[in-house]
């Protein structure tokens, strides 16, 4: 029967000022499956291999309409000639393909300042549309069956036409829209027309922090069904109260007419462990229920994602199978006991990430390869949980989460951040609030997500959306989930801002709360389990302070981890002539925009892992080390289900970074248990000998996501010298002093060191007759501002530390024959003082002390360092310290102390907006040499930090994109006492934690030694 279309009664189209119209003539939502002709296909479970699945992905005819007035009225008619239209790939976002421009905003609605509208009105003047056409061939055999068309994702709403007739309408961007088009088809050639609007009234519900893109961005396919077929099924695989046996329940819905058999089989790999057949008489529709107990099944968890295959077959009266359907299932139990969440009886800790669906070249139209790559990276970096921020993901993503093992918070497609403000007390204009005109829309989004995703064992929490304040509509959404699903719990962070609706979330969920604040929650009679649904904001060079959170997560049972914001940068590859770069808000002329606020991923938009992810990996690891005494460490297996014997533990000893010894041990250690691991110690360690014992936990065997030997966690023990050694250093050489008009020069047989008498700064350091310095050295107290620095306005507050003018007060020479000191006093124009003590001894060792006495009234000091501009040829470096990834005062655990080699090139850590990057801490020494092996060795007293680059920090500071940076024909070296931590609790107000801040309330001394090579 064909759909009889009637226009809305209010005189507006369905897409505008009609929020209560969710869809027209759309099939009811159901679980994500297709039917197969053979059991082998059903077991394999690859939709595309079913002959009943016909993909419509590929080239479609496309007409981009810059305004809705230019939409061709009858483009979908059979006689309308679309031959002159462009072609576009489906799935894709049309902005990515060059039609219109992408726009990035965080919370502000994209039409703000361009068209003055209020909900539920959609933009009209600035709205755009895309018209799609595709021709399909239908056989006579197919016409005798039921033909469905399924759109997995269309942004923001669309009308569907077949052979000139309207079939239906849908306006939920991230949920499937399925239509029965059987009665509209003819044998042979058929015309499919789709009209997509960029924005509709439902766009008020889709104010997520993402690029505003449009089009058919997920799969489109036909499914050929028998007249009588399985229309839906639900599988619930839970555990008994003692967590031993499995409760297995399957409900099947059939539509059609006649007498049939339904057979249900449960496979454990190749073995059928349960089989049952029931007769059913179908008169329009019928429901069947299978229920049994499975003895001691293998349990599903993120650590051990054991899956079983469910096969359901429909047999006709002749016992001939006319249809197979299938899904994976896993036996697991998720519950709250005594205000703590448990999985299979164990307290769960979420080592999670938020994730937008995004790729720099595909936008939101990502493919299976990208999804699987994302999942593998997560698992390699010890992530065990995913929040689908803030909409249901591509259905294939959940298949991967089931398979690889990730706990999922599945989130309704809802965010209305731009309709309310922080600190707001009453509902006011917040959407959906208690406004009845939006009730159907939000409940439909709940139902679509629930029905599609209900069979996935990886989903353990339903989320009502994101940052949408409160209201009665949330109670209705909560009630929907609780009435339909007893096996999962419901989450909503918005109650934090509107406590009147505390009852709509079973979890106390917060965003960007500081560690000491969540500890207060834990200490004060908490009524709910607590998670950070967003925390450690990963914008630019960030993710410091993570240790503070993880100490609390492991101390208080009620604090159950969090989800990093977020997994991947959202940036679009843009090409301008010969230049390609990752673009952010404003780069396309989009207005309004939120600049680079989309650059907060642990992974760059092109899929490359950032260095900061390694710090997350370190803290997310479930193997814990504690130093007991020299020669003994305590290891705790903090996994819930994995025995530690599945990993190898390598114990490697180095001396001053050089390999000494290594052995491998395997420990049989059950979850939750600890073990004292003894290790060999070099007993006599002389001055200048530093031994480090490194414990590395590695995969013993290849896994789905990592190769054999993949590192899970490391721990290092530094063994200091413990034995006195008599040292005799006889040297009758003396240090020469030569004072000229502009220079004071100290020299030995190997080196000449000259200070400027005008500035008091090091102007020459001559080795083998060559001055390695291109400019005079200088004290340097600035760093290229990070995103977090800008967030707490450090680039404004601390500006007095950016290139303060220097005034030389005095230079004093102290001559001790074999040692000469040059003591230099300098005043800064911010009323601070710097004293340098340059000490050159007869062994050609130059000891440098920079003593900073800051003005106590100034802002926090970004960094305390000396800057050297070296000649370009000095670019080969060897260092003994933390590496090889960048590391900072509050973000260093992931970097091992070791001996590393590198070459200074034009490369840098390519954060979306250039900023401070690449530093190394706990450095014992640094060698910088040219190709001839000549140069300098800088040693710490005892350690220092350094940063070396082809770029000056102030050039990096002002560049808005990496490609605009021009490398210097020099090497820029900063020898650093400390620089403030990078922070990351948030990126808009939070400073680094107090212990990682350089306050101007004391005197600081930077000390290091330079020797020629």
């Amino acid at each position: 029967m064909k759909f009889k279309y009637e226009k809305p009664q209010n005189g507006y189209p369905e897409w505008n000022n009609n929020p209560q119209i969710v869809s027209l003539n759309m099939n009811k939502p159901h679980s994500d499956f297709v039917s197969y002709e053979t059991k082998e296909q059903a077991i394999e479970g690859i939709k595309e291999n079913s002959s009943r699945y016909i993909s419509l992905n590929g080239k479609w005819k496309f007409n981009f309409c810059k305004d809705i007035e230019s939409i061709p009225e009858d483009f979908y008619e059979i006689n309308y000639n679309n031959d002159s239209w462009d072609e576009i790939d489906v799935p894709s976002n049309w902005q990515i393909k060059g039609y219109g421009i992408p726009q990035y905003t965080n919370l502000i609605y994209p039409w703000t300042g361009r068209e003055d509208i209020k909900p539920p009105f959609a933009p009209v003047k600035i709205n755009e549309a895309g018209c799609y056409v595709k021709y399909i061939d239908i056989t006579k055999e197919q016409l005798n069956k039921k033909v469905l068309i399924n759109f997995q994702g269309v942004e923001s709403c669309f009308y569907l036409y077949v052979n000139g007739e309207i079939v239906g309408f849908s306006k939920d961007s991230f949920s499937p829209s399925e239509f029965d088009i059987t009665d509209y088809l003819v044998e042979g050639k058929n015309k499919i027309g789709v009209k997509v609007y960029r924005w509709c009234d439902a766009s008020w519900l889709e104010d997520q922090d993402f690029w505003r893109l449009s089009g058919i961005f997920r799969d489109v396919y036909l499914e050929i069904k028998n007249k009588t077929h399985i229309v839906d099924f639900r599988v619930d695989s839970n555990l008994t109260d003692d967590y031993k046996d499995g409760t297995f329940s399957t409900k099947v819905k059939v539509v059609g007419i006649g007498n049939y058999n339904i057979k249900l089989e449960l496979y454990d790999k190749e073995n059928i462990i349960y089989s049952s057949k029931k007769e059913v008489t179908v008169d329009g529709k019928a429901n069947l229920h299978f229920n049994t107990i499975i003895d001691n099944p293998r349990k599903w968890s993120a650590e051990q994602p054991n899956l079983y295959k469910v096969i359901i077959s429909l047999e006709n009266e002749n016992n001939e199978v006319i249809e197979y359907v299938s899904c994976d299932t896993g036996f697991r139990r998720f519950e709250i006991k005594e205000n703590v969440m448990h999985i299979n009886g164990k307290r769960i800790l979420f080592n999670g990430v938020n994730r937008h669906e995004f790729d720099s070249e595909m936008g939101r139209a990502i493919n299976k390869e990208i999804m699987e790559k994302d999942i593998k990276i997560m698992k390699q970096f010890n992530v065990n949980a995913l929040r689908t921020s803030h909409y249901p993901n591509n259905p294939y993503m959940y298949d991967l989460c089931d398979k690889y093992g990730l706990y999922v918070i599945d989130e309704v497609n809802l965010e209305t951040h731009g309709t309310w403000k922080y600190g707001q007390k009453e509902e006011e204009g917040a959407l959906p609030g208690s406004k009845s005109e939006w009730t159907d829309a939000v409940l439909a989004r709940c139902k679509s997500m629930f029905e599609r995703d209900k069979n996935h064992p990886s989903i353990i929490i339903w989320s009502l959306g994101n940052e949408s304040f409160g209201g009665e509509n949330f109670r209705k959404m909560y009630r929907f989930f609780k009435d339909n699903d007893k096996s999962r719990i419901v989450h909503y962070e918005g109650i934090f801002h509107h406590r009147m609706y505390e009852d709509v979330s079973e979890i106390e969920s917060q965003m960007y709360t500081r560690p000491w604040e969540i500890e207060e929650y834990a200490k004060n009679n908490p009524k709910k389990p607590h998670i950070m649904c967003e925390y450690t904001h990963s914008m630019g060079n960030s993710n410091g302070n993570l240790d503070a959170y993880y100490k609390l997560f492991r101390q208080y049972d009620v604090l159950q981890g969090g989800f990093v914001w977020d997994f991947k940068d959202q940036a679009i590859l843009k090409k301008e002539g010969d230049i390609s770069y990752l673009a952010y808000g404003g780069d396309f002329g989009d207005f309004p925009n939120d600049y680079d606020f989309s650059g907060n991923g642990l992974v760059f938009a092109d899929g490359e892992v950032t260095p900061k992810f390694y710090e997350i990996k370190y803290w997310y690891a479930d193997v814990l080390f504690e130093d007991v005494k020299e020669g003994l460490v305590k290891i705790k297996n903090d996994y819930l289900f994995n025995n530690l014997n599945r990993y190898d533990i390598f114990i490697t000893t180095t001396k001053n970074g050089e390999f000494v010894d290594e052995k491998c041990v395997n420990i049989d250690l059950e979850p939750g248990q600890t073990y004292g691991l003894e290790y060999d110690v070099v007993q006599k360690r002389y001055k200048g000998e530093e031994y480090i014992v490194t414990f590395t936990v590695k995969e013993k065997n290849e896994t789905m996501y990592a190769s054999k030997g993949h590192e899970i966690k490391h721990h290092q023990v530094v063994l200091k010298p413990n034995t006195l050694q008599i040292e005799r250093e006889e040297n009758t050489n003396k240090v020469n002093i030569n004072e000229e008009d502009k220079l004071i020069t100290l020299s030995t047989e190997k080196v000449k060191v000259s200070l400027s008498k005008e500035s008091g700064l090091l102007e020459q350091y001559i080795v083998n007759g060559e001055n390695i310095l291109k400019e005079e050295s200088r004290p340097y107290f600035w760093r290229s501002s990070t995103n977090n620095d800008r967030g707490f306005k450090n680039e404004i507050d601390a500006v007095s530390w950016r290139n303060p003018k220097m005034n030389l007060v005095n230079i004093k020479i102290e001559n001790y024959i074999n040692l000469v000191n040059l003591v230099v006093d300098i005043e800064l124009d911010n009323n601070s003082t710097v004293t340098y003590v340059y000490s050159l001894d007869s062994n050609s060792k130059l000891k440098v002390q920079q003593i900073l006495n800051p003005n106590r009234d100034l802002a926090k000091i970004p960094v305390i360092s000396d800057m050297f501009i070296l000649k370009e040829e000095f670019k080969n470096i060897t260092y003994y310290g933390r590496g090889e990834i960048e590391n900072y005062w509050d973000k260093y655990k992931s970097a091992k102390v070791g001996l590393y080699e590198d070459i200074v090139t034009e490369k840098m850590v390519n954060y979306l907006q250039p900023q401070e990057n690449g530093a190394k801490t706990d450095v014992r020494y640094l060698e910088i040499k040219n190709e001839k092996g000549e140069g300098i060795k800088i040693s710490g007293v005892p350690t220092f930090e350094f940063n070396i680059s082809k770029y000056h920090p102030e050039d990096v500071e002002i560049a808005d994109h990496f490609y605009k940076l021009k490398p210097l024909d020099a090497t820029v070296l900063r020898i650093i006492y400390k620089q403030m931590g990078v922070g990351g609790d948030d990126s808009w107000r939070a400073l680094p934690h107090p212990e990682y801040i350089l306050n101007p309330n004391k005197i600081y001394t930077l000390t290091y030694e330079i020797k020629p090579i």
Side-chain angles (χ1 to χ4, degrees), residues 598-781:
S598 62
N600 32 42
L602 298 170
V603 174
F604 291 122
D606 60 6
E608 181 187 348
V609 173
T610 71
K612 54 196 169 182
F613 210 164
Y614 289 89
E615 192 74 5
I616 301 294
K617 176 184 177 180
Y618 178 89
W619 291 105
Y620 274 13
D622 285 319
V623 185
L624 310 180
F625 289 86
E626 180 184 342
D627 294 329
V628 178
K629 62 180 181 179
E630 196 172 278
L632 179 65
V633 296
K634 183 168 71 175
I635 300 177
K636 181 180 180 183
N637 179 0
D638 216 33
Y639 286 104
L640 302 184
F641 307 105
N642 283 346
N643 189 305
L644 216 60
N645 61 16
R646 66 172 284 172
Y647 306 106
D648 286 326
I649 301 177
F650 288 84
I651 306 172
T652 308
T653 302
T654 58
K655 174 184 174 182
N656 296 338
E658 300 283 356
F659 178 84
V660 173
D661 181 59
E662 182 175 83
K663 68 177 182 178
C664 177
V665 299
N666 190 261
I667 301 172
D668 186 3
L669 190 63
E670 291 292 339
Q673 292 185 349
T674 59
Y675 177 82
L677 178 61
E678 295 181 346
Y679 59 93
D680 296 331
V681 174
V682 176
Q683 295 302 317
K684 287 191 175 183
R685 305 186 296 273
Y686 296 101
K687 181 180 179 182
E689 295 180 347
E690 180 181 74
Y691 288 86
I692 294 181
V693 180
T694 301
F695 301 85
T696 311
V697 183
K698 296 183 178 182
E699 292 281 2
K700 185 189 296 185
N701 302 300
E702 183 178 358
T703 68
M704 287 188 292
Y705 54 85
S707 59
K708 177 182 178 180
H710 169 76
E711 182 176 318
I712 304 296
K713 176 72 175 279
H714 72 264
H715 175 73
Q716 291 190 299
V717 179
V718 178
L719 304 173
K720 296 293 185 182
N722 62 1
T723 303
L724 292 176
Q725 185 177 29
I726 299 174
E727 294 183 349
R728 290 186 174 89
E729 190 175 85
E730 296 182 2
N731 197 324
T732 57
N733 295 328
K734 68 175 186 175
V735 179
N736 301 308
I737 304 172
N738 182 30
E739 188 168 355
E740 302 173 356
D741 290 343
K742 294 184 177 182
L743 296 175
I744 300 176
T745 299
L746 308 181
S747 62
T748 66
E749 290 181 351
K750 295 181 179 180
V751 68
K752 281 187 177 181
V753 178
S754 299
L755 260 65
S756 166
K757 295 175 72 175
E758 294 181 1
S759 66
L761 302 176
L762 191 63
E763 189 167 305
Q764 295 179 347
Y765 188 98
I766 299 174
V767 181
N768 297 320
E770 181 181 4
N771 181 17
I772 70 169
L773 300 180
K774 195 165 185 178
E775 300 177 12
E776 66 181 15
S777 68
R778 53 181 293 200
Y780 199 72
F781 308 109

Side-chain angles (χ1 to χ4, degrees), residues 299-507:
K299 315 306 189 285
W300 187 96
S301 67
E303 296 171 23
Q304 298 177 11
N306 297 307
L307 292 175
Y308 292 76
K309 181 71 72 174
V310 178
I311 305 292
I312 306 170
S313 54
L314 179 64
E315 298 178 356
N316 62 20
E317 290 179 314
N318 299 321
N319 293 322
E320 297 169 332
V321 177
I322 61 173
E323 178 181 33
Y324 291 95
V325 299
S326 66
C327 76
D328 289 327
T329 192
F331 289 90
R332 55 104 180 101
R333 182 164 176 166
F334 186 68
E335 60 194 334
I336 297 175
K337 298 194 303 182
E338 298 179 352
N339 298 327
V340 175
M341 292 178 283
H342 291 73
I343 183 77
N344 302 344
K346 302 287 187 72
R347 181 245 182 188
I348 193 171
L349 178 61
F350 291 112
N351 302 322
V353 293
N354 287 271
R355 173 183 171 273
H356 273 293
E357 294 185 311
F358 205 81
D359 176 73
S360 60
E361 297 186 61
M362 299 179 185
R364 266 195 287 285
I366 59 175
N367 58 29
K368 289 184 175 182
E369 290 72 28
I370 296 240
M371 287 182 261
E372 191 148 20
K373 180 181 178 183
D374 286 354
I375 288 277
K376 286 182 176 180
I377 290 173
M378 291 178 199
K379 293 293 291 186
Q380 289 166 5
F381 282 76
N382 298 327
V383 171
N384 71 2
L386 170 68
R387 179 177 176 228
T388 66
S389 51
H390 306 287
Y391 42 82
N393 280 193
N394 187 302
Y396 184 67
M397 192 68 181
Y398 302 90
D399 294 338
L400 295 174
C401 291
D402 294 342
K403 174 183 175 182
Y404 284 91
L406 285 175
Y407 303 117
V408 176
I409 297 181
D410 203 8
E411 194 148 83
V412 170
N413 175 23
L414 175 62
E415 179 169 341
T416 64
H417 203 159
T419 67
W420 61 278
K421 295 180 173 62
Y422 293 114
Q424 183 174 315
K425 301 299 182 185
E426 303 298 329
E427 184 180 310
E428 300 175 19
L431 296 181
S434 304
K435 301 167 181 64
S436 60
E437 64 269 27
W438 294 98
T439 302
D440 289 346
V442 296
L443 286 178
R445 290 167 184 240
C446 291
K447 186 172 180 60
S448 293
M449 180 179 79
F450 168 75
E451 296 292 358
R452 190 195 72 170
D453 298 341
K454 61 197 172 198
N455 291 334
H456 288 283
S458 56
I459 297 170
I460 59 175
I461 298 173
W462 301 115
S463 177
L464 304 184
N466 186 65
E467 294 179 320
S468 299
F469 205 58
E472 288 298 325
N473 280 320
F474 288 99
R475 285 196 170 124
K476 294 172 182 176
M477 296 164 71
Y478 172 83
R479 197 69 263 153
F480 168 82
F481 283 114
K482 296 310 293 182
D483 288 345
N484 286 279
D485 192 351
K486 308 300 183 189
S487 69
R488 299 175 174 101
I489 65 176
V490 177
H491 159 275
Y492 180 55
E493 179 271 343
I495 63 170
F496 183 81
H497 304 284
H498 204 189
R499 290 294 184 183
M500 183 186 299
Y501 296 96
E502 186 84 32
D503 53 310
V504 307
S505 180
E506 297 169 89
I507 305 172

Side-chain angles (χ1 to χ4, degrees), residues 236-249 266 273-274 291-300 308 329-333 344:
D236 285 306
S237 301
N238 216 305
L239 298 176
T240 53
D241 290 346
D242 61 0
Y243 310 105
K244 178 179 179 292
D245 296 327
T247 61
F248 180 61
S249 168
L266 182 65
I273 62 170
Y274 171 73
N291 206 6
T292 192
I293 297 293
I294 304 297
D295 292 337
N296 195 23
R298 294 176 297 115
K299 315 306 189 285
W300 187 96
Y308 292 76
T329 192
F331 289 90
R332 55 104 180 101
R333 182 164 176 166
N344 302 344

Side-chain angles (χ1 to χ4, degrees), residues 137-151:
D137 288 321
I138 296 294
T139 66
K140 184 176 181 179
E141 180 186 5
Q142 291 168 338
L143 273 182
N144 291 327
K145 296 180 180 290
K146 190 174 285 290
V147 182
L148 309 178
I149 189 168
N150 192 305
F151 294 83

Side-chain angles (χ1 to χ4, degrees), residues 55-97:
S55 174
L56 298 186
N57 292 351
K59 299 293 184 183
W60 288 54
K61 286 293 185 179
F62 182 69
N63 182 8
F64 174 62
C65 307
K66 292 182 179 179
D67 56 75
I68 59 176
E69 297 298 325
S70 61
I71 298 174
E73 261 186 52
D74 53 354
F75 75 91
Y76 47 83
E77 296 285 352
I78 294 176
N79 295 326
Y80 188 100
N81 189 335
N82 310 98
D83 290 348
S84 63
W85 286 15
D86 294 343
E87 287 190 334
I88 194 170
D89 292 320
V90 169
S92 70
N93 298 115
W94 70 56
Q95 291 87 355
I96 300 296
K97 296 299 181 179

